Amino acid sequence: MIQLIRGFKDILQPEGRLWQRIETEARRLFESHGYHEIRLPILEKTELFARSIGETTDIVEKEMYTFTDRGGESLTLRPEATASVVRAYIQHKLSGTEPIRKLYTIGPMFRRERPQKGRYRQFYQIDVEAFGIASPYVDAQMILMLASLLERLGVTGISAHVNSLGCPDCRPPYRENLKAFIEEKASELCDDCLRRRDKNPLRVLDCKNESCRKAMAQAPELLDKLCKPCAEHFATVRKELDKRDISYKVDKRLVRGLDYYTRTAFELQTDMLGAQSSVAGGGRYDGLVKTLGGPDIPAIGFAIGFDRLVEVIAQTLPPEECPPHVFFIPLGEKAMEKAFDLCMQLAEQGIHSETDYSGRSLKALMKRADRLAASLVVIMGDNELSTGSVTLKSMATGEQETVSMEGLIQTLVQGFRKA
Ligand code: HAM
């Protein structure tokens, strides 16, 4: 038997309903904040990701699904959505008439990481981006909107971490400082950190390796070295969060794994997913639109790891079943034709009913109704049909009544609306 690819997964029911519920709630909330959906291809030119995410990041160095197509072009399955959203923003000149654009997109991303709980090679993101607003109020709005989504979904046990990564004025001198510190500690660091120290020294700060953590414990912090505008920006973000009583933590070691960030960076973390603690992450990327050939426009965004969010919610929420309201048990050819007709009519009224075309016995079909957890069954034999009435039975109480065929649909619809 052919199995699916390692690190990929099928989403089956009843889990699928949880995905739908989250998506519906997210769309509703985003639209009410003025964000609108865009849909983008999952394949892009490789260069787009190399130039935006950063040549020395793990994603670009080791995780992308890149191949040469039959025309000799290097293409990559998108490892994240931000680069594509920025590409579309520039390509369609969305900044032209109205530079402020608030967008979201939902779909699969691909990273060839080592698969484990909460980490897949195809995973889904709910990605949100806002262009054209430099103000820290939009940073706060993003974090608050994310927190509100989680609250609406009944999520607990997630904490928000925020930091500021500075700007092209204050980050370079800090980087030099940090590099000097790393040099002193070089003998205690892992190979990955040593490889990264020149091009991406900030990543050394969030290495999970115990000896690297110890060695870096006294490292200088960027948050203490921000320039005045960056410090004020961060202070306003914090002030807005404080006013709203959302619980968050300033995490000086939060650096994120993508190179495009400036100023505010944030992550929602949980301890419910083992090593994969980040449920959502994002931040400001004021230079990226320009780097990719567009105008000098600030931007900020975040992405929720959809798979991880589902896994967190599923731990506290029983799977939502979707039983039919009615199960028709047809006993005979004519009854089957009638049952089919009734199912079609109820579906048109938004009511889910089921029937069975196997011709099996009443006992067998009662068992199936029970398995499906239908609320009501309608037993209809050819003889009963000729007298114009059928038997309606409540599966919960076992009560039975005879109902005329004429009034059946109305009775079922009324019962459904009351339930
Ligand atoms: P990211 O932190 O790389 O950021 O990914 C965002 C979220 O996607 C993570 O917090 C995690 O929940 C989920 N995720 C990442 N990799 C995997 C994986 N292999 N399996 C399952 N879930 C995963 C970004 O992608 C940025 N584009 C976010 C952003 C938008 N920044 C600004 N705008």
Side-chain angles (χ1 to χ4, degrees):
M1 199 205 31
I2 301 171
Q3 305 249 346
L4 52 61
I5 307 167
R6 187 165 130 81
F8 286 54
K9 64 177 179 168
D10 301 316
I11 298 156
L12 307 177
Q13 295 297 354
E15 190 192 293
R17 271 189 287 280
L18 199 47
W19 286 73
Q20 280 176 327
R21 214 189 110 206
I22 293 172
E23 197 170 318
T24 306
E25 203 61 70
R27 286 175 189 280
R28 200 178 293 148
L29 180 69
F30 299 162
E31 298 275 343
S32 65
H33 280 269
Y35 289 79
H36 301 294
E37 185 179 27
I38 53 165
R39 297 191 186 204
L40 300 167
I42 55 171
L43 210 51
E44 298 271 4
K45 293 182 182 168
T46 304
E47 194 194 347
L48 173 68
F49 302 116
R51 277 177 52 195
S52 52
I53 299 169
E55 298 277 4
T56 56
T57 56
D58 282 351
I59 297 178
V60 172
E61 269 187 351
K62 359 184 220 204
E63 295 169 1
M64 295 201 305
Y65 282 93
T66 297
F67 65 96
T68 310
D69 82 348
R70 285 166 196 265
E73 192 165 25
S74 178
L75 302 179
T76 293
L77 280 171
R78 62 179 182 193
E80 57 116 45
T82 310
S84 304
V85 180
V86 173
R87 190 225 5 97
Y89 180 81
I90 299 169
Q91 180 169 350
H92 303 290
K93 301 196 169 45
L94 298 186
S95 63
T97 44
E98 167 59 54
I100 296 179
R101 298 281 178 160
K102 300 200 279 182
L103 307 167
Y104 72 89
T105 191
I106 302 174
M109 310 294 151
F110 303 84
R111 294 184 194 174
R112 202 176 183 292
E113 296 185 78
R114 199 167 48 77
Q116 56 175 233
K117 186 177 161 64
R119 188 159 75 192
Y120 309 99
R121 291 179 170 179
Q122 175 177 328
F123 59 98
Y124 291 75
Q125 281 188 347
I126 302 177
D127 181 86
V128 184
E129 314 286 353
F131 293 90
I133 314 170
S135 160
Y137 289 111
V138 76
D139 307 34
Q141 184 269 335
M142 287 249 162
I143 298 168
L144 292 166
M145 186 168 78
L146 191 50
S148 159
L149 178 62
L150 298 180
E151 198 182 315
R152 283 163 186 236
L153 292 167
V155 179
T156 52
I158 288 188
S159 56
H161 293 229
V162 298
N163 192 16
S164 174
L165 299 176
C167 69
D169 285 337
C170 53
R171 193 152 60 189
Y174 166 76
R175 267 180 64 142
E176 291 313 309
N177 242 329
L178 183 64
K179 268 164 121 175
F181 183 87
I182 293 172
E183 240 10 88
E184 281 170 28
K185 302 283 174 183
S187 61
E188 297 161 54
L189 300 177
C190 71
D191 289 347
D192 263 353
C193 287
L194 292 177
R195 209 167 35 79
R196 283 187 187 129
R197 65 184 158 176
D198 287 328
K199 290 196 173 140
N200 217 339
L202 265 73
R203 292 292 297 174
V204 177
L205 288 173
D206 83 339
C207 180
K208 304 281 180 285
N209 192 310
E210 203 38 54
S211 102
C212 299
R213 273 169 180 267
K214 258 198 204 141
M216 296 301 289
Q218 302 304 321
E221 309 281 8
L222 175 53
L223 203 58
D224 306 328
K225 309 262 188 293
L226 294 178
C227 60
K228 196 160 172 264
C230 283
E232 283 172 4
H233 187 101
F234 193 56
T236 307
V237 176
R238 292 198 56 187
K239 186 184 77 193
E240 287 307 314
L241 298 182
D242 290 339
K243 268 202 246 170
R244 282 167 186 89
D245 170 48
I246 98 158
S247 97
Y248 75 96
K249 167 176 173 208
V250 174
D251 181 348
K252 294 180 175 183
R253 290 298 167 96
L254 181 74
V255 296
R256 312 274 299 124
L258 306 98
D259 281 355
Y260 48 62
Y261 292 113
T262 52
R263 295 194 165 170
T264 316
F266 52 95
E267 240 172 58
L268 294 186
Q269 299 181 1
T270 176
D271 52 12
M272 290 161 90
L273 292 174
Q276 300 314 310
S277 58
S278 164
V279 175
R284 192 165 265 290
Y285 51 93
D286 288 342
L288 185 58
V289 179
K290 189 151 184 245
T291 305
L292 290 179
D296 191 4
I297 290 208
I300 176 169
F302 67 81
I304 301 171
F306 206 153
D307 312 66
R308 292 188 191 171
L309 182 57
V310 168
E311 280 166 35
V312 169
I313 295 178
Q315 290 184 21
T316 49
L317 204 74
E320 201 179 310
E321 298 298 339
C322 245
H325 180 55
V326 192
F327 186 75
F328 294 104
I329 298 186
L331 302 169
E333 274 300 317
K334 280 214 179 76
M336 213 178 272
E337 192 180 333
K338 191 68 202 166
F340 167 69
D341 192 42
L342 290 165
C343 282
M344 296 298 286
Q345 285 187 51
L346 285 177
E348 284 298 318
Q349 307 223 28
I351 299 171
H352 171 206
S353 61
E354 291 286 342
T355 187
D356 190 294
Y357 304 111
S358 66
R360 280 181 295 163
S361 68
L362 174 62
K363 191 170 161 208
L365 295 187
M366 279 302 288
K367 268 198 189 152
R368 184 160 175 234
D370 200 39
R371 265 201 316 275
L372 292 176
S375 310
L376 300 169
V377 292
V378 172
I379 303 161
M380 40 209 278
D382 286 356
N383 283 348
E384 283 170 296
L385 280 187
S386 60
T387 64
S389 62
V390 290
T391 306
L392 178 67
K393 180 172 176 175
S394 156
M395 292 297 276
T397 62
E399 274 170 38
Q400 250 173 233
E401 57 180 314
T402 305
V403 182
S404 82
M405 226 22 236
E406 266 173 23
L408 180 62
I409 284 279
Q410 211 187 347
T411 309
L412 294 174
V413 172
Q414 276 169 0
F416 179 77
R417 305 254 184 266
K418 258 194 231 150

